[in-house]
Amino acid sequence: MQEHTFPTYFLSHGGGPWPFMKDQFGGRYDVLEASLQDIPRQIGARPKAVLVVTAHWEGPQFLVSASPRPGMIYDYSGFPPHTYQIQYPAPGAPELAAQVKQLLDAAGHPARLDHERGFDHGTFSALFPIYPQADVPLVQLSLKHGYDPLTHIEVGRALASLRRQGVLILGSGLSYHNLRQFGQAGAVASHQFDAWLRQTMALPPEQRLAQLLAWDQAPGARQAHPQEDHLLPLMVALGAAEQEAAHVAYHEEDFFGALAVTSFRFGATGGN
């Protein structure tokens, strides 16, 4: 039995295939990249697999990627030609995928295995700085239509035992995701919502949960998330470490010149 208990993370994963566009972006992503590169040190051990809850995949039920050799999904447009040739050849983990399905089925949230799904950019762009050798097996978990926050928290609860079995759970989204108001146009809403989110994460677990379940009442909430797909991975990551403290793992006040964005870690470092 793996005694090391991994923390969980909600990652604000940045835009598009940014780790593969440093010449174009300059230093815009340096702070985010450094925060991701520090995760192996923070968690204190090498995971046997990573489970990524991705904002870029959803279905009428929860879907779990089960291919042993996942391909690539270039789910973006308008980027340079080389970004449509990116490879992140991490292996899949079909046995973990089956276990995830079993845990969700048992918790009353039936899941389906998808044997074709490849890695979307919310997965490979976040994972490349963490494990650049692409040598840690990856499984992706979708969101569920309807975006019910409690459902996604309950899914996190159902997956919590994986943390003691060598699995690192990452929710990959973005704490501000309004592509129509990116940059200066979103400054006020992003700062309002980000301040609320960081204050909420610092509350005791019961209060934190109550606040999150009513997230759309927060200042700037619907401006920050007209559609909450990029916020829901946070619910799963928190649900899997519900009684543990949240720590800011990454924060910027001037992302794309104006936006406030944050990533969180739930649980202690070093497996404590």
Side-chain angles (χ1 to χ4, degrees):
M1 176 64 71
Q2 170 71 261
E3 293 182 357
H4 189 103
T5 300
F6 286 111
T8 70
Y9 287 82
F10 169 68
L11 304 178
S12 285
H13 65 222
W18 63 266
F20 307 91
M21 296 179 60
K22 290 189 178 181
D23 290 347
Q24 290 87 347
F25 283 129
R28 178 174 285 172
Y29 282 99
D30 285 357
V31 178
L32 175 58
E33 181 178 45
S35 74
L36 295 171
Q37 290 173 337
D38 195 48
I39 287 177
R41 180 197 65 80
Q42 292 178 25
I43 65 177
R46 181 182 176 85
K48 72 176 186 183
V50 177
L51 176 62
V52 179
V53 184
T54 173
H56 293 274
W57 190 23
E58 62 181 76
Q61 64 189 121
F62 288 98
L63 306 169
V64 189
S65 66
S67 170
R69 293 178 296 280
M72 301 291 289
I73 299 175
Y74 306 114
D75 53 341
Y76 40 76
S77 60
F79 286 88
H82 79 271
T83 64
Y84 299 90
Q85 305 297 321
I86 293 167
Q87 294 295 314
Y88 188 75
E95 290 184 3
L96 173 60
Q99 185 180 6
V100 169
K101 171 179 165 49
Q102 182 181 36
L103 289 170
L104 297 190
D105 289 351
H109 296 289
R112 180 172 63 83
L113 298 179
D114 186 321
H115 297 278
E116 304 298 326
R117 180 75 182 185
F119 298 141
D120 61 58
H121 82 265
T123 296
F124 67 76
S125 289
L127 266 294
F128 178 74
I130 305 173
Y131 296 114
Q133 301 304 313
D135 54 357
V136 177
L138 290 181
V139 169
Q140 294 175 123
L141 174 64
S142 79
L143 307 179
K144 183 181 178 181
H145 290 341
Y147 299 145
D148 178 58
L150 181 57
T151 294
H152 289 78
I153 287 170
E154 289 174 347
V155 162
R157 292 170 180 162
L159 299 173
S161 62
L162 297 176
R163 300 172 54 209
R164 297 183 297 276
Q165 298 172 30
V167 178
L168 175 64
I169 299 174
L170 304 178
S172 180
L174 201 58
S175 62
Y176 176 88
H177 195 254
N178 184 342
L179 298 183
R180 294 181 180 273
Q181 295 182 4
F182 222 69
Q184 193 61 47
V188 172
S190 79
H191 282 259
Q192 287 178 333
F193 185 72
D194 194 82
W196 174 86
L197 191 60
R198 285 182 286 124
Q199 291 166 3
T200 296
M201 290 299 102
L203 294 172
E206 292 77 11
Q207 292 176 257
R208 183 172 65 183
L209 175 62
Q211 292 273 78
L212 274 182
L213 293 178
W215 73 270
D216 58 351
Q217 303 302 307
R222 278 301 177 188
Q223 291 80 18
H225 293 282
Q227 179 172 295
E228 57 266 39
D229 51 343
H230 276 63
L231 184 65
L232 267 293
L234 169 67
M235 308 296 180
V236 182
L238 179 140
E242 190 170 6
Q243 299 303 314
E244 296 178 54
H247 309 268
V248 171
Y250 156 72
H251 177 71
E252 290 195 64
E253 296 280 338
D254 58 353
F255 184 63
F256 274 78
L259 303 174
V261 290
T262 303
S263 298
F264 297 97
R265 184 186 79 244
F266 300 98
T269 58
N272 296 319

